[in-house]
Amino acid sequence: MSTIQFNPLKYPVYVSAKPVGAACNLRCSYCYFLEKLAESAPQRMSDEMLERFTEQYVHAQPSQDVLFTWHGGEPLLLGVDYFKKALRYQQPYRRNYRIDNVLQTNGTLLNDDWCRFFKENNFLIGLSLDGPEHCHDKYRTNIGGRGSFAQTMKGLELLNKNGVEFNILSVVNDYNVQFPLEIYNFFKSTGSKYIQFSPVVERLDGETGLLKSGDDVGGKLAEWSVPALAYGRFLNSIFDEWARKDVGTVYVTTFDSTLAGYVGAEPGTCIWAETCGHASALNVNGDLYACDHYVFPEFKLGNIRQKTITEMMLTDKQFQFGNDKRDQLSETCKRCNYLSLCNGECPKNRIQVQEGEKYPLNYLCSGLKHYFNHTEPYMRFMANELENKRPPANIMKYLAGK
């Protein structure tokens, strides 16, 4: 074992590890990683690379808590034995570190063996599900073009059957944005208590058809991108239902992060934070990138064979990447009443060029303002409850009395 210096960063380092690269058994239309399928051979992280990553990642943390995040592509393509090996590589560090594992999957390859393994080893599973069948199958199809809903739901049932903890990750696109309450109530019916909505905003290069890189303002908006104002209305419809019935029992990442902003706490996800840069992505060959949404050559930090994760995350290049989120805000953003809640959202969505502005505006701005304006009185009520050491769920009693 080599000697690696302890990381002086204030925040934990997160690496979205892609041990299978971009390989996947589905062909979701909006997947921003599919274009890299040809680039990511081999489609399996070697044992040597996996062990090297494990050691470096553990020692990159500023505390004793370590969260391994396994992503893809579809990581289940590697088989259960691969992740048993990953746990063996983690084992020597468990005497001094609290190690947890999260795995993101489309759910179509889940079986009882997988679920027993996840349960026995306390994995948290992120399940990609875009709503009921007509919503999910609109864009989440297999290689043959057929919908994947039935297979994903079988996987969800197996997770429930085996008592595996899971969250739902739902991509909001131009189609399912029309059905907010149907989607939300469907998710509740599955037994899910943790829901993350991720709006898809992607652009295409007119010449190659590939999705454009994160710092490129041009390009045609992909047809599946969610309309900005529709996204705001989508959030508002779900928020109204949640605030009347489900506060404290169902957790929606966007609502939790907004409430954190009202009480001055750190948001749960980087898109709402003032700066970013502590969440990177590791490709199958050991290349480390500034962010999972910026897996492009200009954002490559290096390779873990030549440099450690700590060294690469502490470079001026990565610090600038994270600080640019704050330093490259448009003047419109700086004047916005909701800046402390939004912080310009994710830089990858800042693609709207405005006359007189040095930096582009976030494409989702109109929808986010619609959401923040609608939820403000209720968020302030819940924030006041928290500050007075009362449960924010009191909002339900308040709304019932109106």
Side-chain angles (χ1 to χ4, degrees):
M1 290 289 181
S2 61
T3 301
I4 301 176
Q5 296 299 312
F6 192 69
N7 185 359
L9 285 174
K10 175 181 177 182
Y11 297 108
V13 169
Y14 296 109
V15 174
S16 177
K18 300 175 180 295
V20 71
C24 189
N25 61 322
L26 298 187
R27 290 295 180 270
C28 304
S29 301
Y30 53 65
C31 180
Y32 61 87
F33 215 66
L34 276 181
E35 68 176 85
K36 298 166 185 63
L37 189 58
E39 304 171 12
S40 59
Q43 302 301 314
R44 182 186 183 93
M45 184 178 288
S46 69
D47 291 356
E48 178 268 332
M49 186 69 71
L50 179 62
E51 187 173 18
R52 182 184 297 266
F53 161 62
T54 302
E55 179 191 11
Q56 290 190 16
Y57 188 56
V58 169
H59 288 287
Q61 303 306 322
S63 75
Q64 303 308 112
D65 295 305
V66 186
L67 181 65
F68 282 85
T69 302
W70 305 102
H71 215 280
E74 175 49 56
L76 298 196
L77 288 171
L78 291 167
V80 175
D81 287 344
Y82 187 90
F83 288 95
K84 289 180 179 178
K85 185 181 303 176
L87 293 184
R88 287 199 298 272
Y89 290 149
Q90 294 173 13
Q91 190 58 40
Y93 307 103
R94 289 183 179 273
R95 289 170 298 193
N96 300 312
Y97 292 87
R98 294 177 292 274
I99 298 178
D100 291 301
N101 288 270
V102 175
L103 184 144
Q104 184 69 36
T105 177
N106 60 45
T108 61
L109 301 178
L110 287 169
N111 55 33
D112 280 316
D113 287 342
W114 271 116
C115 291
R116 281 192 292 267
F117 169 76
F118 291 144
K119 179 64 176 179
E120 290 168 2
N121 294 284
N122 298 312
F123 270 64
L124 171 63
I125 301 303
L127 183 69
S128 298
L129 182 62
D130 288 355
E133 187 169 8
H134 70 101
C135 292
H136 183 87
D137 283 352
K138 175 69 175 178
Y139 293 119
R140 297 191 64 81
T141 57
N142 61 24
I143 295 175
R146 294 182 295 275
S148 59
F149 177 79
Q151 291 173 290
T152 299
M153 288 305 295
K154 288 180 180 177
L156 186 152
E157 291 167 7
L158 287 170
L159 291 173
N160 276 325
K161 170 189 167 186
N162 288 276
V164 179
E165 186 178 354
F166 70 94
N167 299 344
I168 285 179
L169 173 62
S170 179
V171 173
V172 186
N173 53 64
D174 69 311
Y175 178 74
N176 67 355
V177 73
Q178 303 171 75
F179 309 99
L181 291 184
E182 183 180 353
I183 289 172
Y184 180 62
N185 288 321
F186 168 72
F187 287 161
K188 287 200 299 180
S189 74
T190 67
S192 175
K193 301 296 183 184
Y194 299 90
I195 304 168
Q196 179 178 347
F197 292 110
S198 180
V200 62
V201 180
E202 298 292 354
R203 290 154 295 147
L204 303 177
D205 185 300
E207 296 181 358
T208 67
L210 299 179
L211 301 178
K212 296 183 74 69
S213 96
D215 66 342
D216 203 339
V217 176
K220 178 185 176 183
L221 200 66
E223 63 182 22
W224 50 80
S225 295
V226 63
L229 189 55
Y231 180 59
R233 290 170 176 160
F234 173 90
L235 291 176
N236 287 348
S237 294
I238 294 175
F239 177 85
D240 289 346
E241 181 78 0
W242 174 80
R244 291 184 178 278
K245 298 180 180 179
D246 302 317
V247 180
T249 57
V250 176
Y251 300 89
V252 180
T253 304
T254 302
F255 305 157
D256 289 347
S257 294
T258 303
L259 184 56
Y262 276 100
V263 300
E266 288 290 332
T269 56
C270 57
I271 64 170
W272 306 112
E274 183 180 21
T275 60
C276 58
H278 62 281
S280 58
L282 183 75
N283 206 358
V284 62
N285 64 352
D287 287 343
L288 190 72
Y289 291 85
C291 170
D292 191 28
H293 289 283
Y294 286 80
V295 183
F296 297 95
E298 60 267 41
F299 298 102
K300 179 180 169 181
L301 299 175
N303 189 286
I304 63 173
R305 278 200 173 98
Q306 287 79 46
K307 298 179 182 179
T308 66
I309 291 172
T310 301
E311 289 172 326
M312 288 185 278
M313 294 298 283
L314 290 173
T315 59
D316 291 342
K317 180 179 180 179
Q318 185 65 1
F319 280 125
Q320 181 178 341
F321 174 84
N323 289 335
D324 280 349
K325 186 179 192 295
R326 175 197 61 213
D327 298 339
Q328 295 186 0
L329 284 171
S330 67
E331 294 302 315
T332 301
C333 274
K334 293 177 183 178
R335 295 191 299 268
C336 181
N337 292 334
Y338 302 116
L339 176 59
S340 63
L341 303 177
C342 173
N343 286 299
E345 210 250 355
C346 185
K348 80 177 184 66
N349 295 332
R350 298 178 188 176
I351 59 175
Q352 286 194 333
V353 178
Q354 291 187 312
E355 187 176 353
E357 289 275 17
K358 181 178 180 180
Y359 300 113
L361 190 66
N362 195 299
Y363 164 82
L364 294 170
C365 180
S366 61
L368 295 176
K369 281 184 176 178
H370 190 64
Y371 158 69
F372 290 131
N373 182 64
H374 176 77
T375 59
E376 181 174 4
Y378 311 108
M379 288 290 182
R380 290 195 181 280
F381 178 94
M382 289 188 285
N384 183 68
E385 294 302 284
L386 281 171
E387 289 167 359
N388 287 280
K389 303 190 185 307
R390 296 189 295 263
N394 286 343
I395 186 69
M396 294 186 289
K397 296 178 182 177
Y398 170 73
L399 291 174
K402 291 188 69 175

